[in-house]
Amino acid sequence: MTTSRRSNTIISTIIFISLCIIAITITRQSTINLRLRNENSEVSARRTITDSSQIIMSSRQQQESVHPRTNNMVGGYSNLGHDKNLLKSEQVVKVSNYALKEHSKKSTSTASVGHALTISPDEVESGQVTAVVLEAQQQVVAGLNYKLTIALMKDSTCLGALKVTVYDRFGDLRVTKWGDQLTCDDVQDLLTEVIQVEESEEKALDVEEKIEEGMEEVEPNE
């Protein structure tokens, strides 16, 4: 009887230990699976955040390509002249060309005939007279206000300059104020700076083209 009881006790102990080992193994495996699920969830969340950030950045870049970004709050005018690329942005150029066309219509009126900045719409349409943006300010309202100083150029010769404020209501442009008309001497420094930037960019493009042409002429070794 004693031997039988001992055997039963040993068997019971073995069974108990086996069950404990199984329970520990299951618990560890569950913990590992839980950690893996949490890690996968974190990775998925990070990817979602990254994708969202990329979409937001892409949207902002598209908006900035149309309306240059400035650091000023709504209501105040911000200076775009700190970056010469902003002076040549698509929207600023569009506004300056519109102002040039409106000035050509205004300058051919009887009151303006004989003035140094008298130009005809035909000269503008044919490209004989062009506008170079020297200064630009932007104001965010229900749309955008632009204060521009533009030089009028004919065959690379300065005719003079003028100040103008244009209201851009989501693509609908309107001149709200004509400012002072300036002589070429008044804007000589600004005009020289803009021309130097354009010449530097043209030289850089010429160098790139020559490098590309040289690479095309070099034949690969067989």
Side-chain angles (χ1 to χ4, degrees):
M1 291 293 294
T2 302
T3 302
S4 177
R5 286 179 180 177
R6 287 179 180 177
S7 297
N8 290 337
T9 301
I10 291 171
I11 292 171
S12 298
T13 302
I14 292 172
I15 293 172
F16 175 75
I17 292 172
S18 298
L19 291 174
C20 288
I21 292 173
I22 292 171
I24 292 171
T25 301
I26 293 173
T27 301
R28 286 181 177 177
Q29 188 62 42
S30 298
T31 302
I32 292 172
N33 291 337
L34 180 60
R35 287 179 180 176
L36 290 174
R37 283 197 297 270
N38 290 337
E39 289 176 357
N40 290 333
S41 297
E42 290 178 0
V43 171
S44 178
R46 288 174 183 172
R47 287 178 178 173
T48 300
I49 293 173
T50 300
D51 292 341
S52 299
S53 299
Q54 291 176 345
I55 292 172
I56 293 171
M57 288 298 294
S58 177
S59 177
R60 287 179 178 175
Q61 289 172 354
Q62 291 176 355
Q63 291 176 359
E64 289 172 7
S65 66
V66 178
H67 299 295
R69 181 181 178 182
T70 61
N71 294 326
N72 293 58
M73 297 179 64
V74 173
Y77 272 98
S78 56
N79 183 20
L80 305 182
H82 63 280
D83 185 349
K84 296 305 177 185
N85 289 326
L86 292 179
L87 296 181
K88 298 186 297 181
S89 67
E90 178 182 351
Q91 185 64 13
V92 172
V93 170
K94 177 181 177 181
V95 172
S96 66
N97 288 337
Y98 169 79
L100 178 63
K101 290 180 180 179
E102 292 300 301
H103 172 74
S104 70
K105 297 175 184 177
K106 180 176 72 74
S107 68
T108 52
S109 65
T110 304
S112 299
V113 171
H115 192 277
L117 286 182
T118 300
I119 58 173
S120 69
D122 290 340
E123 288 177 308
V124 176
E125 291 294 334
S126 65
Q128 288 180 298
V129 176
T130 58
V132 176
V133 182
L134 304 178
E135 294 177 314
Q137 292 180 307
Q138 183 188 75
Q139 181 189 36
V140 179
V141 286
L144 293 169
N145 276 327
Y146 289 92
K147 283 185 177 180
L148 304 180
T149 301
I150 58 176
L152 278 58
M153 308 293 292
K154 184 174 182 179
D155 299 328
S156 301
T157 300
C158 175
L159 300 177
L162 58 87
K163 293 180 178 291
V164 61
T165 301
V166 177
Y167 175 48
D168 176 7
R169 183 174 175 79
F170 310 109
D172 183 16
L173 303 179
R174 177 169 57 89
V175 173
T176 57
K177 181 181 179 181
W178 292 104
D180 297 333
Q181 293 190 359
L182 308 171
T183 66
C184 295
D185 290 338
D186 293 332
V187 296
Q188 185 59 49
D189 292 341
L190 290 172
L191 184 57
T192 299
E193 185 178 352
V194 171
I195 291 174
Q196 287 177 345
V197 171
E198 291 179 350
E199 289 177 348
S200 297
E201 291 178 349
E202 289 177 358
K203 289 179 180 179
L205 290 174
D206 288 340
V207 171
E208 290 181 2
E209 289 178 358
K210 290 179 180 178
I211 292 174
E212 290 178 356
E213 290 174 358
M215 293 177 64
E216 291 176 355
E217 291 178 356
V218 175
E219 297 181 357
N221 295 325
E222 295 182 358

